Amino acid sequence: MAPLTAASDEKTHQALLDKLDIYAISKSFRNPHWKPPQRRNKNVKQILAEVSRKEASVMATQNNSGASTPVLPHSEALTGGASTPVGNHQPPNIAQAARNLSTLVLEKNTRAAMGASPANGGPAATYTNIESAPSFHPNSQRRYCDITGLPAPYTDPKTRLRYHNKEIFGVIRTMPQNTTESYLAARGAHTVLK
Amino acid sequence: MAPSAISEVPPPSGRNSPKPEPAKIWSVSDPPFEGFKPIDTEGHACSNRDTAIVIDNGSSNVRAGWSFDSKPRISLPPLMARYRDRRIARTFTFVGSDIYSDGTARGQAKNVYEPGSNIINNWDCMEGVLDYCFIKLGVDGRNGGIDRPIVMTEPVANLGYTRKTMSEILFECYGAPSVAYGIDSLFSYSYNGGRNGLVVSSSYSSTHIIPVIESKALLSQATRLNWGRSQSAEYLLKLLRLKYPAFPGKISDTQAEDLVRDHCYVSRDYENELSHYLEWTGLEDRDHTIQFPYTEQVVVQKTEEELAIAAEKRKESGRRLQAQAAKMRLEKLKRKEEEYEYYVQLQAQLANTTKKEGKRILESNDFDDESQLEKRVRELEKSIKKARNKDVGDVEEEQQEEPTFPLLDVPDDQLDEESLKQKRQQKLLKSNYEARQRAKAEKEKEKARQAEEQRLDDERRENDFENWVEERRIARQAIIQKMRDRERLKAELGNRKSLANQMRMKSIANLASDNPTKKRRRGGGDDDTFGADDADWGVYRTIATGEQSDDEEEEDLNRELKNIEAQLLKHDPNFTEESTREAQTDWTKSLLHAFLHGPYPFDPESQKQAHQLHLNVERIRVPEVVFQPTIAGLDQAGIVEIAAGILTERLAESPYRNDILKDIFLTGGNTLFQGFEERLQDELRAVLPAELELGVRRAKDRVLDAWRGAAKWAGKAESKKAFVTRAEFMEKGGDYLKEHELGNASL
């Protein structure tokens, strides 16, 4: 335990910690019988994998059993999109849906299977499909020097680094390989070995 | 700001004059420990079962307060440290900025959110943060729960699992009677009175663009860009680590965030501003110097007096030594003189005695014969004379008489054994003497040759000037090339895997191995010819690295270069001061120097300067990522492209489009950059049809309005039906959600 400032000594610091500590404070608003579920900390990747697995299995069962399958409790078909402020006759957002094509296809299948009206807009917004698609704008092809960030008309064929002028090129050529790799990594263009 | 007009006129050498010391040096500070926050019971006392606790659950700061407040009562970073101090057998829990109060706590702190995303993945921390909020809001838990409705913000299209887990905690752990969720940026928009518009919300961990029509968000058209302030800070940190790989200090994440906030701005015309960013003129205004804490190495400066005393002491001890040596010399001289006298007497004695007696006397004095005695006497005489001369101080010019070697001409058979010996000696002496003479002659010849060369050179210069200059220039180029090669080799040797280094390792292995590398199938076994050629020894030069190895050579090259440049300067009118290597490699012309150290000279010895960071291009490069995500390796479209896509394609037929265009709304901490609004306006203007009216505005308070909007919404009567009650939670499960205008859609 390191006292933060020169002004505080061991004793005052401990007193400060006692004051700040909320472990000792009684938290009567908490349910004393509350037991958090095991392994509830999941990262985004795990959660997304679970979601897509669940979706796939739900869709599969619906495809098999057709209209006789009870409607999903939270599917769009139930609310009919009435309370959902999703598009009023908007064309489907293809760029977004392309990010998660399976969702689009599956949703279309469900709708077809359940005879929902095609007037309903595109796929519902999910965490994955609202992600912005890759750029198609020519501006995204602009090149900047990896070292200085200035406009870079040249590329070094050996290291694949972009550079602004010959002085920077001289620097690039004297760089060890791990440095050039980390410069590439800053631009996301590094080689990833899998 | 320093005046930029001082150095407009470049000095005649073409070098830029260094700028004066930076006018302002910024510093970094550690994340502040905000001090103990007392429990605020006043709010709880004013509240009743209908007034909600409003929590803006942001990834940079969690803000909490009551729905009737005008601003959040508490704001804390979503951090928690829980650890057990074994010494006193006690568990501590610190939340928010309290973790900065203690070293251990800081080390143990965990973030609620998954780094770089807006998804919660540490629920224990989340509980800790909520505990802290409820404690500080004075919730007393009289009825075994918090007993107040809760309004909480969540990200756009929040994941079902996250919402479910949050609901579980709120209902089951804290016993909340009802809970409502909403989207922070929509709360901010509604608080700022928006109805039809495009919400551009760039916050700590992500950027969202959401079209809103008739106060309803078109979530199906919402788009997320995975970039926010935290990613900017990380990117800046990455760039700085690459820029100063040997930086001795440590830049913490919070310091990087401070740097982004305090120094970065959005450039209105990125391409144009960027290409002039490192130009000398005005660089001192664009370059920000950040000083990190450092300890100056103390160089003990001795005073003049001390120096004088030390010198005196040294002199004194020198004198003492000299005196001692003189004394010793004197004694030795005395001894020698005595010896000399004795031997002279002996000689005299010998002359008077019989041969036999003489022989006995000689033997008793360790002499073989008389000639040896004679030699001895001569030697003594000489050395005494020499010593006397030295003491007296006048060095007599030693008369150089040509030594004679009389015995050499006498044939061997005329000599006895003794003389043969002497002859051999003389032979040796003679060859020695001759070698010396030869060397002398050679030296003189060399001198003459050089003088002749100089003369020829001068002549050539006068007669054939162009070729002379050409030759000099080629020679100069060759030296520069050599220097460059050496530099490159040095750099390559730094890399373990480079070809140069591998060659070096190979030669070391060859030298170290006992058996020769190439075994001849036929022929003589051990034919190690190493050393037969003088060039073989060069291998030791190539394997030697480090400072001592090429310093000499480098100096040689430098001297040679200087020499040639001096000649060129003197005689070639086209070769000016400006074209010397020194001037060309001058730091004031170096772009890289401007990039690394701004317009100021750099002294690698100075600890102060070693602990300085210079932010220049980064100041616009880092915020630019939101507009051009590809520069940071993010394969997504920038906000302008997204917004243009929504406005011109997806909503092209919407009757509300023109209304939306009039209200482009900025909110979130990452839009606080100076120039953000203007840049967005400019770029959108460029992609939209000219006749359409465009309006960009920002939230009154881009950071706190989300919370205010949520509080305002929570106070409205019609919002009540959007709350999920405890009974509904029990019946319908954790991911049950009631939709409302400012919240997510249920899936």
Side-chain angles (χ1 to χ4, degrees):
Chain A
M1 228 185 297
L4 191 69
T5 58
S8 66
D9 60 16
E10 191 77 7
K11 209 169 160 194
T12 56
H13 187 65
Q14 191 57 50
L16 175 69
L17 291 188
D18 286 347
K19 204 169 160 193
L20 293 176
D21 178 30
I22 65 161
Y23 187 80
I25 298 177
S26 89
K27 291 175 270 281
S28 53
F29 47 79
R30 277 177 79 103
N31 180 354
H33 308 297
W34 160 250
K35 280 265 172 334
Q38 292 276 303
R39 282 199 285 279
R40 60 177 169 165
N41 291 349
K42 295 179 188 172
N43 59 31
V44 178
K45 217 169 155 189
Q46 271 174 305
I47 302 172
L48 290 179
E50 268 168 34
V51 166
S52 64
R53 220 174 20 243
K54 201 162 132 199
E55 254 174 24
S57 78
V58 166
M59 296 302 170
T61 47
Q62 293 211 336
N63 272 348
N64 292 341
S65 53
S68 65
T69 318
V71 172
L72 273 173
H74 306 308
S75 82
E76 261 180 82
L78 187 71
T79 53
S83 61
T84 319
V86 283
N88 312 333
H89 300 276
Q90 297 305 330
N93 178 0
I94 300 298
Q96 284 176 1
R99 295 290 284 194
N100 196 348
L101 198 64
S102 60
T103 319
L104 182 67
V105 173
L106 288 172
E107 294 225 4
K108 215 171 176 184
N109 285 349
T110 4
R111 237 176 278 125
M114 294 184 295
S117 71
N120 203 334
T126 65
Y127 189 77
T128 35
N129 75 5
I130 64 165
E131 240 178 327
S132 158
S135 173
F136 297 112
H137 201 269
N139 270 3
S140 65
Q141 302 302 312
R142 277 193 200 147
R143 284 153 183 250
Y144 300 101
C145 176
D146 284 311
I147 317 297
T148 60
L150 298 174
Y154 317 105
T155 305
D156 174 20
K158 193 172 148 207
T159 59
R160 290 178 291 129
L161 285 176
R162 296 163 184 173
Y163 60 94
H164 176 68
N165 66 8
K166 91 177 185 201
E167 187 191 347
I168 310 292
F169 179 65
V171 176
I172 289 179
R173 277 300 164 95
T174 54
M175 263 181 203
Q177 200 197 350
N178 53 352
T179 313
T180 59
E181 272 301 303
S182 33
Y183 271 111
L184 285 173
R187 169 157 62 87
H190 56 306
T191 319
V192 183
L193 295 177
K194 279 185 181 157
Chain B
M1 292 283 161
S4 59
I6 296 174
S7 53
E8 292 306 293
V9 186
S13 70
R15 303 181 198 191
N16 295 308
S17 66
K19 310 259 167 145
E21 280 285 296
K24 177 166 184 197
I25 293 185
W26 283 265
S27 61
V28 287
S29 53
D30 279 322
F33 161 53
E34 289 163 13
F36 176 73
K37 285 173 201 147
I39 294 173
D40 181 0
T41 49
E42 181 256 328
H44 189 256
C46 296
S47 71
N48 56 39
R49 297 212 56 180
D50 287 332
T51 44
I53 296 174
V54 179
I55 301 173
D56 178 5
N57 201 12
S59 44
S60 67
N61 273 295
V62 174
R63 302 179 181 91
W66 297 96
S67 55
F68 49 78
D69 287 336
S70 61
K71 63 177 181 32
R73 293 194 181 221
I74 22 179
S75 170
L76 66 154
L79 300 166
M80 183 188 82
R82 175 176 291 159
Y83 63 94
R84 191 165 176 77
D85 191 336
R86 289 179 192 282
R87 205 159 44 87
I88 51 175
R90 215 184 121 181
T91 306
F92 287 99
T93 303
F94 299 108
V95 175
S97 66
D98 291 356
I99 62 147
Y100 297 124
S101 65
D102 183 73
T104 321
R106 201 187 308 200
Q108 296 286 330
K110 305 261 185 332
N111 200 316
V112 167
Y113 285 85
E114 180 166 325
S117 86
N118 50 8
I119 298 302
I120 299 167
N121 84 342
N122 194 334
W123 292 100
D124 299 314
C125 285
M126 191 69 240
E127 277 184 32
V129 169
L130 289 175
D131 280 347
Y132 184 90
C133 291
F134 296 142
I135 290 171
K136 299 294 177 192
L137 285 176
V139 175
D140 54 10
R142 218 171 292 148
N143 304 328
I146 50 172
D147 208 22
R148 297 284 181 272
I150 288 192
V151 174
M152 194 180 261
T153 63
E154 61 177 11
V156 181
N158 193 15
L159 287 164
Y161 176 79
T162 314
R163 190 180 301 132
K164 187 175 131 236
T165 318
M166 182 62 89
S167 296
E168 263 171 28
I169 290 176
L170 291 177
F171 282 116
E172 292 181 14
C173 177
Y174 296 108
S178 59
V179 174
Y181 298 103
I183 297 169
D184 48 358
S185 45
L186 297 180
F187 279 136
S188 174
Y189 186 54
S190 94
Y191 184 77
N192 282 279
R195 192 168 167 76
N196 295 307
L198 188 72
V199 177
V200 177
S201 154
S202 191
S203 60
Y204 187 71
S205 50
S206 56
T207 296
H208 286 101
I209 296 180
I210 316 165
V212 177
I213 291 176
E214 292 290 339
S215 304
K216 277 186 193 168
L218 285 185
L219 286 180
S220 61
Q221 308 293 336
T223 308
R224 180 182 71 238
L225 171 66
N226 297 327
W227 194 268
R229 191 183 278 286
S230 69
Q231 284 92 339
S232 293
E234 204 183 316
Y235 183 57
L236 178 67
L237 205 55
K238 216 186 270 177
L239 291 179
L240 287 176
R241 289 208 180 110
L242 288 168
K243 189 171 175 179
Y244 302 99
F247 190 67
K250 188 183 177 297
I251 315 168
S252 69
D253 292 350
T254 45
Q255 283 170 340
E257 273 168 36
D258 287 348
L259 291 181
V260 170
R261 185 173 48 239
D262 297 343
H263 300 283
C264 293
Y265 64 96
V266 172
S267 167
R268 198 154 177 185
D269 181 0
Y270 187 67
E271 286 296 306
N272 194 20
E273 185 166 2
L274 184 72
S275 50
H276 301 295
Y277 216 84
L278 288 179
E279 276 174 11
W280 190 259
T281 317
L283 182 57
E284 70 275 19
D285 293 340
R286 292 186 294 265
D287 182 82
H288 280 194
T289 309
I290 321 295
Q291 180 71 58
F292 273 68
Y294 66 99
T295 45
E296 190 69 79
Q297 272 168 346
V298 185
V299 183
V300 182
Q301 274 295 345
K302 280 187 182 152
T303 63
E304 210 141 287
E305 204 173 331
E306 279 173 326
L307 284 175
I309 289 173
E312 187 53 40
K313 235 182 207 167
R314 258 204 309 281
K315 247 186 223 162
E316 181 60 36
S317 66
R319 263 202 294 277
R320 216 171 27 236
L321 275 176
Q322 268 173 354
Q324 244 167 19
K327 208 168 143 197
M328 261 165 62
R329 265 208 307 279
L330 203 68
E331 270 167 23
K332 219 172 171 182
L333 185 66
K334 246 187 215 154
R335 248 200 332 272
K336 266 185 190 158
E337 267 171 337
E338 276 165 19
E339 220 174 313
Y340 175 69
E341 248 159 60
Y342 172 75
Y343 286 131
V344 171
Q345 257 177 23
L346 204 67
Q347 258 179 331
Q349 207 179 345
L350 276 179
N352 299 334
T353 51
T354 59
K355 210 164 197 182
K356 203 174 178 191
E357 185 62 10
K359 187 111 178 164
R360 199 190 53 77
I361 292 171
L362 276 176
E363 254 163 41
S364 70
N365 279 298
D366 283 347
F367 288 116
D368 285 346
D369 54 21
E370 234 170 299
S371 65
Q372 269 192 349
L373 176 65
E374 225 164 275
K375 200 172 154 197
R376 177 82 198 172
V377 169
R378 249 201 329 273
E379 267 172 22
L380 276 173
E381 195 177 10
K382 211 172 175 181
S383 78
I384 287 168
K385 204 164 156 195
K386 217 176 184 175
R388 277 223 182 98
N389 276 342
K390 210 172 188 179
D391 262 5
V392 174
D394 53 348
V395 183
E396 216 173 280
E397 184 60 38
E398 218 176 310
Q399 66 266 43
Q400 276 290 4
E401 55 182 52
E402 193 131 324
T404 51
F405 308 102
L407 282 178
L408 285 185
D409 299 330
V410 185
D412 280 2
D413 46 357
Q414 290 174 19
L415 292 167
D416 58 354
E417 213 164 293
E418 197 54 32
S419 319
L420 267 177
K421 224 191 231 168
Q422 276 189 5
K423 185 181 171 185
R424 262 203 299 280
Q425 214 173 359
Q426 283 187 0
K427 215 186 220 164
L428 256 175
L429 282 175
K430 188 179 176 212
S431 62
N432 244 345
Y433 174 74
E434 278 168 358
R436 267 202 303 277
Q437 292 298 316
R438 264 202 306 278
K440 216 186 223 168
E442 206 111 303
K443 230 189 227 164
E444 233 133 77
K445 232 189 256 101
E446 173 69 16
K447 226 185 239 166
R449 196 185 59 78
Q450 271 177 2
E452 173 69 9
E453 223 169 58
Q454 181 64 40
R455 195 185 61 77
L456 280 177
D457 195 55
D458 288 350
E459 209 168 84
R460 192 164 141 67
R461 194 177 66 231
E462 268 145 39
N463 301 334
D464 188 6
F465 183 71
E466 291 207 344
N467 278 335
W468 182 86
V469 166
E470 194 53 38
E471 257 169 43
R472 284 299 125 109
R473 296 208 152 174
I474 289 170
R476 178 172 169 271
Q477 214 47 51
I479 292 175
I480 289 175
Q481 189 57 43
K482 227 185 219 168
M483 287 165 109
R484 279 202 194 126
D485 285 350
R486 185 149 299 152
E487 263 164 39
R488 184 180 303 173
L489 188 70
K490 225 188 239 172
E492 278 193 14
L493 282 179
N495 178 6
R496 205 167 49 81
K497 286 183 196 151
S498 68
L499 184 67
N501 219 352
Q502 279 176 359
M503 293 300 284
R504 177 171 171 263
M505 284 301 156
K506 208 168 164 189
S507 24
I508 291 180
N510 279 346
L511 285 170
S513 77
D514 288 332
N515 33 343
T517 45
K518 280 171 267 169
K519 277 228 169 105
R520 296 254 168 82
R521 292 257 171 86
R522 296 170 293 149
D526 191 20
D527 56 346
D528 185 7
T529 55
F530 185 89
D533 183 2
D534 273 347
D536 288 351
W537 300 104
V539 77
Y540 286 105
R541 195 176 264 284
T542 59
I543 64 169
T545 55
E547 271 134 40
Q548 79 285 3
S549 66
D550 10 70
D551 265 9
E552 282 169 45
E553 269 185 87
E554 216 148 277
E555 233 151 69
D556 269 2
L557 283 180
N558 262 333
R559 196 163 343 114
E560 238 173 283
L561 186 68
K562 277 263 166 66
N563 203 1
I564 291 184
E565 282 183 347
Q567 288 183 1
L568 281 170
L569 270 180
K570 195 167 160 198
H571 301 293
D572 184 359
N574 296 328
F575 192 88
T576 57
E577 182 68 39
E578 210 175 314
S579 22
T580 58
R581 186 170 157 83
E582 209 170 282
Q584 276 176 352
T585 54
D586 188 58
W587 66 263
T588 57
K589 282 190 178 171
S590 162
L591 183 77
L592 206 63
H593 185 99
F595 178 58
L596 292 177
H597 308 297
Y600 313 109
F602 179 66
D603 169 19
E605 296 293 315
S606 152
Q607 283 298 310
K608 184 181 171 193
Q609 288 184 15
H611 284 79
Q612 275 176 352
L613 295 178
H614 288 263
L615 292 182
N616 35 55
V617 179
E618 293 84 4
R619 293 181 60 205
I620 55 172
R621 188 182 180 183
V622 170
E624 183 67 15
V625 180
V626 175
F627 295 91
Q628 299 185 52
T630 42
I631 63 176
L634 186 63
D635 193 17
Q636 291 191 308
I639 54 166
V640 174
E641 199 182 334
I642 299 171
I646 291 174
L647 293 170
T648 58
E649 286 163 36
R650 300 191 212 164
L651 299 182
E653 271 117 64
S654 166
Y656 295 101
R657 190 180 80 156
N658 291 352
D659 293 331
I660 290 177
L661 274 178
K662 280 179 208 150
D663 193 15
I664 313 284
F665 178 76
L666 291 177
T667 184
N670 201 34
T671 60
L672 288 171
F673 290 119
Q674 178 207 328
F676 198 104
E677 224 178 316
E678 292 83 358
R679 171 74 180 276
L680 190 64
Q681 166 108 28
D682 287 355
E683 295 233 342
L684 278 178
R685 185 73 271 171
V687 292
L688 291 172
E691 69 276 9
L692 297 181
E693 199 183 324
L694 178 72
V696 178
R697 66 166 174 146
R698 54 169 186 245
K700 275 197 245 46
D701 184 336
R702 279 169 281 190
V703 177
L704 292 182
D705 275 358
W707 185 91
R708 292 200 182 103
K712 193 175 154 200
W713 179 85
K716 278 195 240 167
E718 62 263 37
S719 310
K720 291 288 172 265
K721 60 180 194 295
F723 280 77
V724 176
T725 62
R726 194 174 161 77
E728 282 166 320
F729 166 76
M730 298 305 244
E731 186 191 339
K732 295 174 178 164
D735 40 11
Y736 177 66
L737 178 73
K738 284 187 182 166
E739 290 179 350
H740 59 92
E741 287 180 346
L742 305 176
N744 277 311
S746 73
L747 288 176

